[in-house]
Amino acid sequence: MTAVPRRRMVPAYLATGGRSRPGTAGFDRLTVLFADRVEPPRDLEPEHQRLWELLRPGALTVVEAAAHLRLPVSATVFLAADLVEAGCLRARAPIPRAQQTDRSIVERLLVGLRALR
């Protein structure tokens, strides 16, 4: 018999305070979040506190934090935006994908290296 995963007791929309838009714009699913303080902030809501404690040891993306918190990504964006505005977290834009290398440049480099022999 397999164990049934525990369900959240609080709906995700309550974790966001019932808001429909986060205060800070520009968060992406791959935005990197990390704690900006050594001491825990005071007077945080439980969901905000859980996010801050999760990020205290190191950085995570929004989607990774959402998975750990078992919240939708959209709700995690709200929590992260609140903590960034309060100065408890910092957010960094995701690292862009590397562009594919031009094959002709690599071939010319290889020819040049072989010529050095």
Side-chain angles (χ1 to χ4, degrees):
M1 191 159 111
T2 61
V4 177
R6 293 182 60 198
R7 299 188 80 192
R8 289 186 46 80
M9 298 302 288
V10 177
Y13 65 87
L14 289 179
T16 66
R19 294 172 292 164
S20 61
R21 293 180 191 248
T24 303
F27 278 74
D28 185 5
R29 298 172 63 105
L30 297 178
T31 297
V32 179
L33 304 170
F34 48 99
D36 199 24
R37 295 182 172 186
V38 177
E39 296 179 19
R42 295 181 182 171
D43 303 329
L44 287 180
E45 298 291 325
E47 298 294 333
H48 290 90
Q49 183 73 29
R50 286 181 52 217
L51 177 59
W52 186 84
E53 289 174 358
L54 177 67
L55 296 170
R56 196 172 80 178
L60 290 174
T61 63
V62 171
V63 73
E64 290 170 327
H68 284 288
L69 295 173
R70 294 184 178 187
L71 283 173
V73 174
S74 57
T76 306
V77 166
F78 278 90
L79 298 175
D82 291 344
L83 290 174
V84 167
E85 286 178 3
C88 302
L89 291 183
R90 288 197 305 178
R92 187 192 65 184
I95 298 170
R97 291 182 180 241
Q99 294 180 354
Q100 192 168 5
T101 306
D102 184 11
R103 184 175 176 101
S104 65
I105 293 174
V106 176
E107 288 172 352
R108 286 186 290 169
L109 176 63
L110 186 58
V111 168
L113 289 174
R114 286 183 180 150
L116 291 176
R117 284 192 201 173

